[in-house]
Amino acid sequence: MKIFIFTLGCRANQYESDSISYLLEKEGHVLVTKIEEADICIVNTCTVTHRADYDSRRILRKIIKNNPSAICVATGCYVQVAYKRLAEIEGIDYLIGNKEKPLIPKLISTFTKQKKPHVLVSPNPTAFDTLICFPPPAYSKHTRAYLKIQDGCDSFCAYCIVPYARGRTRSLSPDEVIKRIFFLQNQGIKEVVFTGIHLGEYGKDLFPAFSLVELLKHLEKYDLSLRIRLSSLNPSEINEEMVALIARSQYLCPHLHISLQTGSDKILKKMRRCYSVSQFKELIEIIRRYFPLVDTPTPRTKPVFALGVDIIVGFPGETEEDFYQTYTLIKDLPVSYCHIFSYSDRPGTMASKMSNKVPQEVIKDRVKKLRTLDREKRQAFLQANLGRIVHVLTEQKKGNYLIGHAENYLPIWVTPHKNVKVNQIIPVKLAYLTDKGAMGELLTTYDIPR
C-alpha cells in the first residue's frame, strides 16, 4: 500500500514517525509525499499549544478533502487527550493513542474505511512498551537521526498538558541505548540527537537509577564514529560535571538548548519550574569556564558554544516588569538564539484556571520584541564564529554548495571539493557572511573524508 505520513510537534514525535516509516517499508509498503497518491494517510498529532491543535485538525481535514477514498488515521498526543473532539471530524477512520501507536505497522494491513472513527486510546498512556517498541529508524540517506531515550514527564508544570498525553517518565536502558547507537552508526548516520519528552529525567525510573550524565560518561567507553547532540534540558539538570564532560568528549556537541521559559523568578514559581534565574546565570558562568561564548574575545581556537533557550511569553500574571526581566536577561547574557512561544491555555492544566490572563494583543507585542532580539542574537552568534575552525556535517547539496551544520549547530555553506560528498564531517574555517548565512572554506590540510 502507498502511505503518507505527516508529523507535527516535537522530536520525539518525529522519531516515532520515522520508526513507523521504517517498519512499514520493511513490510513492503511504499511511502509517498503527496496526499493524493496515498491509500492510507497517517497524521502524528501534537497538542502542546492551541496552534498545534489547529494544525492537527487542519491537516486531517485537508487529507479528507483532497483524498476522500484514503483511509485517514490520527495518532499522537492530541488524539490521546482529545479523541472525542477529533471524532467529530467526518472522514477520520482511526484514532490511535500514544500507547497504541507502536501497533500501527502491525495493524495497518487490516485498516478499512469506517462509517465513524474506530477508537484505540488507552486512558493511561504510561507503558514501557510505548518506548521500547520503536526501533531506531534506519535510513542511510539521512545524515542525522533522532534517538528517543526517554518518554513521559513527572513534572506537571502549570502550563503543560504533555504529562497527560505521554504519561509518567520511563527510560531506555543504557545497554539498549548503546545498541541503538551502533545500529544507527552502522547505517552510516553521522550524528545522533538524544531526545525525550523530559530528557533531563532520563534514568530516574531505572533500577538502579542511572542519570543522563552517567549515560554520557558510559558512552566514552565505546569507539564511536559519530557525534551526539542533546535536546532540551532544564537549567537545574545541567551541572559542571556534564559541561566538563562535553568539553573533553570526542562525541558530544558543544550545544545546549535550555528550557528557560521566563526570566522572572515570580513567574517561574507560578509555572512550577524547579529552578531560579540565578541558577541559569550560574550555568552560563560554568559553561564560560570550559568554552568560548558569544562575548568571548580572541584567540579563536574553538567554535563558540551554542546556548539556545525556550521562552514562553504571556503566562497568566506576567506583568510588564516580568517581561522586562526576561528581555533584559536574554539581552545581557551570551545567548545564541531563542525559541519563542506565546502562552497557550491548555484545558486541564493549573494555568488554565489562573486569573490575570494577559491580553492577546499584549502577548503579540511582547513576542515581536523578543523576536527582534532573537535576530540580533543569531547575528551576533554568526559574527562570533567568523575565523574559527569548525567541523561541518554535510547534509545536502544546493546549487554549487554543500550545506550542513557545525558541531555547535551553526548552519554553514561550503564550496564543494572533489573529495567531499554529502554525509561527511569536514574541517571548515568560517570565512564570511552572506544573505544565505555563514560561508566556510574547506581546510585541505586535513585528511578528507573524515
mmCIF file of all heavy atoms in Angstrom, residues 165-194:
data_model
loop_
_atom_site.group_PDB
_atom_site.id
_atom_site.type_symbol
_atom_site.label_atom_id
_atom_site.label_comp_id
_atom_site.label_asym_id
_atom_site.label_seq_id
_atom_site.Cartn_x
_atom_site.Cartn_y
_atom_site.Cartn_z
ATOM 1 N N ALA A 165 -0.689 13.506 28.189
ATOM 2 C CA ALA A 165 -0.677 12.881 26.863
ATOM 3 C C ALA A 165 0.372 11.791 26.740
ATOM 4 O O ALA A 165 0.189 10.826 25.994
ATOM 5 C CB ALA A 165 -0.430 13.936 25.783
ATOM 6 N N ARG A 166 1.467 11.914 27.495
ATOM 7 C CA ARG A 166 2.588 10.991 27.351
ATOM 8 C C ARG A 166 2.799 10.083 28.567
ATOM 9 O O ARG A 166 3.566 9.129 28.500
ATOM 10 C CB ARG A 166 3.872 11.794 27.101
ATOM 11 C CG ARG A 166 3.988 12.357 25.697
ATOM 12 C CD ARG A 166 4.468 11.300 24.733
ATOM 13 N NE ARG A 166 4.615 11.807 23.374
ATOM 14 C CZ ARG A 166 5.209 11.139 22.397
ATOM 15 N NH1 ARG A 166 5.726 9.944 22.623
ATOM 16 N NH2 ARG A 166 5.278 11.637 21.192
ATOM 17 N N GLY A 167 2.156 10.420 29.690
ATOM 18 C CA GLY A 167 2.316 9.580 30.867
ATOM 19 C C GLY A 167 3.551 9.903 31.679
ATOM 20 O O GLY A 167 4.236 10.895 31.452
ATOM 21 N N ARG A 168 3.846 9.036 32.622
ATOM 22 C CA ARG A 168 4.964 9.245 33.535
ATOM 23 C C ARG A 168 6.279 8.894 32.859
ATOM 24 O O ARG A 168 6.335 8.215 31.844
ATOM 25 C CB ARG A 168 4.772 8.395 34.808
ATOM 26 C CG ARG A 168 3.440 8.616 35.517
ATOM 27 C CD ARG A 168 3.198 10.079 35.870
ATOM 28 N NE ARG A 168 4.055 10.550 36.923
ATOM 29 C CZ ARG A 168 3.702 10.574 38.214
ATOM 30 N NH1 ARG A 168 2.515 10.156 38.608
ATOM 31 N NH2 ARG A 168 4.534 11.038 39.112
ATOM 32 N N THR A 169 7.376 9.340 33.469
ATOM 33 C CA THR A 169 8.683 9.170 32.848
ATOM 34 C C THR A 169 9.119 7.706 32.839
ATOM 35 O O THR A 169 8.878 6.954 33.789
ATOM 36 C CB THR A 169 9.741 10.033 33.576
ATOM 37 O OG1 THR A 169 10.938 10.049 32.808
ATOM 38 C CG2 THR A 169 10.036 9.510 34.977
ATOM 39 N N ARG A 170 9.746 7.306 31.728
ATOM 40 C CA ARG A 170 10.371 5.992 31.624
ATOM 41 C C ARG A 170 11.507 6.089 30.623
ATOM 42 O O ARG A 170 11.469 6.921 29.715
ATOM 43 C CB ARG A 170 9.388 4.883 31.250
ATOM 44 C CG ARG A 170 8.649 5.100 29.959
ATOM 45 C CD ARG A 170 7.246 5.576 30.214
ATOM 46 N NE ARG A 170 6.464 5.564 28.995
ATOM 47 C CZ ARG A 170 5.568 6.487 28.721
ATOM 48 N NH1 ARG A 170 5.365 7.497 29.539
ATOM 49 N NH2 ARG A 170 4.860 6.406 27.618
ATOM 50 N N SER A 171 12.504 5.228 30.820
ATOM 51 C CA SER A 171 13.775 5.396 30.105
ATOM 52 C C SER A 171 14.222 4.105 29.443
ATOM 53 O O SER A 171 13.894 3.002 29.896
ATOM 54 C CB SER A 171 14.871 5.851 31.080
ATOM 55 O OG SER A 171 14.458 6.956 31.839
ATOM 56 N N LEU A 172 14.983 4.270 28.394
ATOM 57 C CA LEU A 172 15.627 3.155 27.728
ATOM 58 C C LEU A 172 16.877 2.787 28.532
ATOM 59 O O LEU A 172 17.600 3.674 28.991
ATOM 60 C CB LEU A 172 16.022 3.590 26.318
ATOM 61 C CG LEU A 172 16.053 2.564 25.197
ATOM 62 C CD1 LEU A 172 14.720 1.859 25.042
ATOM 63 C CD2 LEU A 172 16.439 3.249 23.890
ATOM 64 N N SER A 173 17.153 1.507 28.689
ATOM 65 C CA SER A 173 18.332 1.101 29.460
ATOM 66 C C SER A 173 19.602 1.542 28.753
ATOM 67 O O SER A 173 19.633 1.661 27.522
ATOM 68 C CB SER A 173 18.343 -0.419 29.638
ATOM 69 O OG SER A 173 18.658 -1.053 28.397
ATOM 70 N N PRO A 174 20.685 1.791 29.502
ATOM 71 C CA PRO A 174 21.957 2.176 28.874
ATOM 72 C C PRO A 174 22.427 1.192 27.809
ATOM 73 O O PRO A 174 22.910 1.600 26.749
ATOM 74 C CB PRO A 174 22.928 2.234 30.053
ATOM 75 C CG PRO A 174 22.061 2.519 31.233
ATOM 76 C CD PRO A 174 20.773 1.798 30.976
ATOM 77 N N ASP A 175 22.282 -0.105 28.082
ATOM 78 C CA ASP A 175 22.719 -1.108 27.103
ATOM 79 C C ASP A 175 21.909 -0.998 25.813
ATOM 80 O O ASP A 175 22.450 -1.154 24.709
ATOM 81 C CB ASP A 175 22.580 -2.517 27.688
ATOM 82 C CG ASP A 175 23.623 -2.808 28.750
ATOM 83 O OD1 ASP A 175 24.622 -2.056 28.829
ATOM 84 O OD2 ASP A 175 23.445 -3.775 29.506
ATOM 85 N N GLU A 176 20.605 -0.723 25.951
ATOM 86 C CA GLU A 176 19.759 -0.584 24.767
ATOM 87 C C GLU A 176 20.103 0.691 23.996
ATOM 88 O O GLU A 176 20.076 0.718 22.766
ATOM 89 C CB GLU A 176 18.289 -0.578 25.180
ATOM 90 C CG GLU A 176 17.309 -0.704 24.028
ATOM 91 C CD GLU A 176 17.367 -2.047 23.320
ATOM 92 O OE1 GLU A 176 17.814 -3.040 23.942
ATOM 93 O OE2 GLU A 176 16.978 -2.092 22.137
ATOM 94 N N VAL A 177 20.450 1.744 24.730
ATOM 95 C CA VAL A 177 20.875 2.985 24.074
ATOM 96 C C VAL A 177 22.119 2.725 23.227
ATOM 97 O O VAL A 177 22.191 3.122 22.058
ATOM 98 C CB VAL A 177 21.151 4.097 25.112
ATOM 99 C CG1 VAL A 177 21.771 5.316 24.436
ATOM 100 C CG2 VAL A 177 19.861 4.498 25.831
ATOM 101 N N ILE A 178 23.101 2.049 23.813
ATOM 102 C CA ILE A 178 24.345 1.748 23.092
ATOM 103 C C ILE A 178 24.054 0.889 21.865
ATOM 104 O O ILE A 178 24.580 1.143 20.764
ATOM 105 C CB ILE A 178 25.352 1.030 24.021
ATOM 106 C CG1 ILE A 178 25.786 1.946 25.153
ATOM 107 C CG2 ILE A 178 26.560 0.531 23.225
ATOM 108 C CD1 ILE A 178 26.524 3.187 24.704
ATOM 109 N N LYS A 179 23.199 -0.112 22.030
ATOM 110 C CA LYS A 179 22.867 -0.996 20.916
ATOM 111 C C LYS A 179 22.273 -0.191 19.757
ATOM 112 O O LYS A 179 22.619 -0.397 18.589
ATOM 113 C CB LYS A 179 21.877 -2.051 21.386
ATOM 114 C CG LYS A 179 21.525 -3.099 20.332
ATOM 115 C CD LYS A 179 20.356 -3.971 20.768
ATOM 116 C CE LYS A 179 20.650 -4.707 22.058
ATOM 117 N NZ LYS A 179 19.540 -5.609 22.439
ATOM 118 N N ARG A 180 21.401 0.755 20.079
ATOM 119 C CA ARG A 180 20.736 1.527 19.031
ATOM 120 C C ARG A 180 21.679 2.547 18.394
ATOM 121 O O ARG A 180 21.577 2.825 17.204
ATOM 122 C CB ARG A 180 19.490 2.196 19.607
ATOM 123 C CG ARG A 180 18.445 1.172 20.040
ATOM 124 C CD ARG A 180 17.173 1.795 20.547
ATOM 125 N NE ARG A 180 16.251 0.740 20.988
ATOM 126 C CZ ARG A 180 14.940 0.815 20.920
ATOM 127 N NH1 ARG A 180 14.381 1.912 20.434
ATOM 128 N NH2 ARG A 180 14.182 -0.174 21.331
ATOM 129 N N ILE A 181 22.600 3.080 19.184
ATOM 130 C CA ILE A 181 23.591 3.994 18.609
ATOM 131 C C ILE A 181 24.446 3.259 17.575
ATOM 132 O O ILE A 181 24.674 3.769 16.466
ATOM 133 C CB ILE A 181 24.483 4.593 19.717
ATOM 134 C CG1 ILE A 181 23.696 5.618 20.533
ATOM 135 C CG2 ILE A 181 25.711 5.259 19.097
ATOM 136 C CD1 ILE A 181 24.456 6.164 21.715
ATOM 137 N N PHE A 182 24.900 2.053 17.907
ATOM 138 C CA PHE A 182 25.718 1.305 16.958
ATOM 139 C C PHE A 182 24.917 0.880 15.736
ATOM 140 O O PHE A 182 25.439 0.824 14.622
ATOM 141 C CB PHE A 182 26.369 0.095 17.637
ATOM 142 C CG PHE A 182 27.660 0.432 18.326
ATOM 143 C CD1 PHE A 182 27.726 0.546 19.698
ATOM 144 C CD2 PHE A 182 28.813 0.656 17.586
ATOM 145 C CE1 PHE A 182 28.911 0.882 20.331
ATOM 146 C CE2 PHE A 182 30.008 0.981 18.210
ATOM 147 C CZ PHE A 182 30.058 1.097 19.591
ATOM 148 N N PHE A 183 23.631 0.586 15.933
ATOM 149 C CA PHE A 183 22.760 0.281 14.796
ATOM 150 C C PHE A 183 22.726 1.456 13.833
ATOM 151 O O PHE A 183 22.876 1.300 12.620
ATOM 152 C CB PHE A 183 21.357 -0.049 15.295
ATOM 153 C CG PHE A 183 20.342 -0.252 14.196
ATOM 154 C CD1 PHE A 183 20.232 -1.468 13.556
ATOM 155 C CD2 PHE A 183 19.505 0.783 13.800
ATOM 156 C CE1 PHE A 183 19.304 -1.663 12.543
ATOM 157 C CE2 PHE A 183 18.578 0.603 12.797
ATOM 158 C CZ PHE A 183 18.475 -0.628 12.165
ATOM 159 N N LEU A 184 22.546 2.651 14.370
ATOM 160 C CA LEU A 184 22.497 3.850 13.532
ATOM 161 C C LEU A 184 23.850 4.134 12.891
ATOM 162 O O LEU A 184 23.938 4.505 11.719
ATOM 163 C CB LEU A 184 22.039 5.047 14.371
ATOM 164 C CG LEU A 184 20.572 5.012 14.813
ATOM 165 C CD1 LEU A 184 20.311 6.076 15.875
ATOM 166 C CD2 LEU A 184 19.640 5.207 13.629
ATOM 167 N N GLN A 185 24.918 3.950 13.672
ATOM 168 C CA GLN A 185 26.256 4.173 13.125
ATOM 169 C C GLN A 185 26.517 3.238 11.954
ATOM 170 O O GLN A 185 27.087 3.650 10.934
ATOM 171 C CB GLN A 185 27.299 3.955 14.224
ATOM 172 C CG GLN A 185 28.724 4.167 13.761
ATOM 173 C CD GLN A 185 29.707 4.175 14.926
ATOM 174 O OE1 GLN A 185 29.820 5.155 15.649
ATOM 175 N NE2 GLN A 185 30.414 3.068 15.118
ATOM 176 N N ASN A 186 26.084 1.993 12.074
ATOM 177 C CA ASN A 186 26.289 1.025 11.001
ATOM 178 C C ASN A 186 25.468 1.348 9.754
ATOM 179 O O ASN A 186 25.773 0.851 8.667
ATOM 180 C CB ASN A 186 25.953 -0.383 11.486
ATOM 181 C CG ASN A 186 26.951 -0.896 12.513
ATOM 182 O OD1 ASN A 186 28.073 -0.406 12.583
ATOM 183 N ND2 ASN A 186 26.539 -1.865 13.317
ATOM 184 N N GLN A 187 24.420 2.174 9.926
ATOM 185 C CA GLN A 187 23.621 2.617 8.779
ATOM 186 C C GLN A 187 24.232 3.839 8.098
ATOM 187 O O GLN A 187 23.694 4.341 7.117
ATOM 188 C CB GLN A 187 22.198 2.954 9.237
ATOM 189 C CG GLN A 187 21.432 1.801 9.847
ATOM 190 C CD GLN A 187 21.246 0.652 8.869
ATOM 191 O OE1 GLN A 187 20.952 0.880 7.704
ATOM 192 N NE2 GLN A 187 21.430 -0.567 9.340
ATOM 193 N N GLY A 188 25.336 4.332 8.643
ATOM 194 C CA GLY A 188 26.010 5.479 8.038
ATOM 195 C C GLY A 188 25.634 6.815 8.646
ATOM 196 O O GLY A 188 26.062 7.868 8.166
ATOM 197 N N ILE A 189 24.842 6.790 9.726
ATOM 198 C CA ILE A 189 24.446 8.031 10.394
ATOM 199 C C ILE A 189 25.675 8.674 11.042
ATOM 200 O O ILE A 189 26.466 8.005 11.710
ATOM 201 C CB ILE A 189 23.364 7.757 11.462
ATOM 202 C CG1 ILE A 189 22.093 7.229 10.802
ATOM 203 C CG2 ILE A 189 23.083 8.990 12.292
ATOM 204 C CD1 ILE A 189 21.402 8.212 9.887
ATOM 205 N N LYS A 190 25.822 9.990 10.862
ATOM 206 C CA LYS A 190 26.979 10.697 11.394
ATOM 207 C C LYS A 190 26.670 11.495 12.663
ATOM 208 O O LYS A 190 27.586 11.948 13.347
ATOM 209 C CB LYS A 190 27.534 11.666 10.338
ATOM 210 C CG LYS A 190 28.063 10.985 9.089
ATOM 211 C CD LYS A 190 29.268 10.113 9.370
ATOM 212 C CE LYS A 190 29.860 9.577 8.085
ATOM 213 N NZ LYS A 190 30.978 8.631 8.344
ATOM 214 N N GLU A 191 25.379 11.724 12.943
ATOM 215 C CA GLU A 191 25.018 12.469 14.156
ATOM 216 C C GLU A 191 23.722 11.906 14.719
ATOM 217 O O GLU A 191 22.753 11.704 13.980
ATOM 218 C CB GLU A 191 24.865 13.957 13.865
ATOM 219 C CG GLU A 191 24.501 14.771 15.107
ATOM 220 C CD GLU A 191 24.443 16.265 14.824
ATOM 221 O OE1 GLU A 191 25.455 16.810 14.325
ATOM 222 O OE2 GLU A 191 23.394 16.874 15.071
ATOM 223 N N VAL A 192 23.709 11.678 16.024
ATOM 224 C CA VAL A 192 22.521 11.205 16.728
ATOM 225 C C VAL A 192 22.098 12.273 17.726
ATOM 226 O O VAL A 192 22.932 12.783 18.489
ATOM 227 C CB VAL A 192 22.799 9.874 17.453
ATOM 228 C CG1 VAL A 192 21.625 9.487 18.352
ATOM 229 C CG2 VAL A 192 23.061 8.760 16.444
ATOM 230 N N VAL A 193 20.821 12.601 17.711
ATOM 231 C CA VAL A 193 20.272 13.567 18.653
ATOM 232 C C VAL A 193 19.483 12.816 19.712
ATOM 233 O O VAL A 193 18.472 12.179 19.404
ATOM 234 C CB VAL A 193 19.356 14.590 17.948
ATOM 235 C CG1 VAL A 193 18.855 15.632 18.949
ATOM 236 C CG2 VAL A 193 20.079 15.267 16.797
ATOM 237 N N PHE A 194 19.956 12.867 20.952
ATOM 238 C CA PHE A 194 19.207 12.264 22.050
ATOM 239 C C PHE A 194 17.970 13.107 22.330
ATOM 240 O O PHE A 194 18.066 14.317 22.568
ATOM 241 C CB PHE A 194 20.056 12.209 23.323
ATOM 242 C CG PHE A 194 21.047 11.079 23.351
ATOM 243 C CD1 PHE A 194 21.962 10.974 24.393
ATOM 244 C CD2 PHE A 194 21.078 10.117 22.359
ATOM 245 C CE1 PHE A 194 22.879 9.940 24.438
ATOM 246 C CE2 PHE A 194 21.991 9.076 22.388
ATOM 247 C CZ PHE A 194 22.888 8.988 23.429
#
